[in-house]
Amino acid sequence: MSGPRPPRLTAAAAVCGLEALALVAGGVYLLVTGLVGTPESTTQAESGGATLIALGLIPLLAARGLLLRRGWSRGPAIITQLMALPVAWTLLRSSGALIPAGIALALVAVIGLVVLLNPATTRELGLRRG
């Protein structure tokens, strides 16, 4: 499609990019802690860190696809938002600084879903004519 990218696609890509950044940052933190820190289980920290880094690639690729208006990118982006909601719920049921993190994650995931499921977004990605 030609013309300027609609703000909703940019917003959806930004949400996915933010989630990718958070996953990769968390993965790097766990990986470094496992390698040089003193976690309870170095193997668990290292494998958890590598897993988070790998999972961060999914929303990163989805963000790039959304910026380029690729229809395939909507599926991984929606799945990322749906996976974020139970994580947000778990954080909300915790205590301390995890509660604001849960609120932020829930807001980001809901905003992402609203933008991604918007019929105009679907049309802009070429998934439905009309």
Side-chain angles (χ1 to χ4, degrees):
M1 303 213 167
S2 61
R5 184 177 12 329
R8 69 188 151 272
L9 275 182
T10 304
V15 164
C16 287
L18 180 65
E19 290 166 335
L21 179 64
L23 284 167
V24 171
V28 168
Y29 173 77
L30 280 176
L31 198 55
V32 169
T33 301
L35 293 172
V36 299
T38 55
E40 283 186 33
S41 167
T42 57
T43 305
Q44 188 174 8
E46 292 166 1
S47 63
T51 301
L52 284 180
I53 291 170
L55 286 174
L57 294 176
I58 296 169
L60 181 64
L61 292 172
R64 186 173 189 281
L66 289 168
L67 287 174
L68 297 173
R69 299 179 186 180
R70 304 289 191 249
W72 62 262
S73 62
R74 185 170 168 242
I78 289 173
I79 290 169
T80 300
Q81 306 321 307
L82 292 175
M83 290 174 60
L85 291 173
V87 174
W89 178 252
T90 301
L91 292 173
L92 287 170
R93 296 180 45 106
S94 299
S95 61
L98 296 178
I99 293 174
I103 292 169
L105 181 58
L107 285 173
V108 167
V110 169
I111 289 168
L113 282 171
V114 168
V115 173
L116 288 163
L117 296 174
N118 185 309
T121 302
T122 304
R123 281 191 304 274
E124 187 61 37
L125 291 172
L127 299 173
R128 181 174 55 186
R129 302 286 178 217

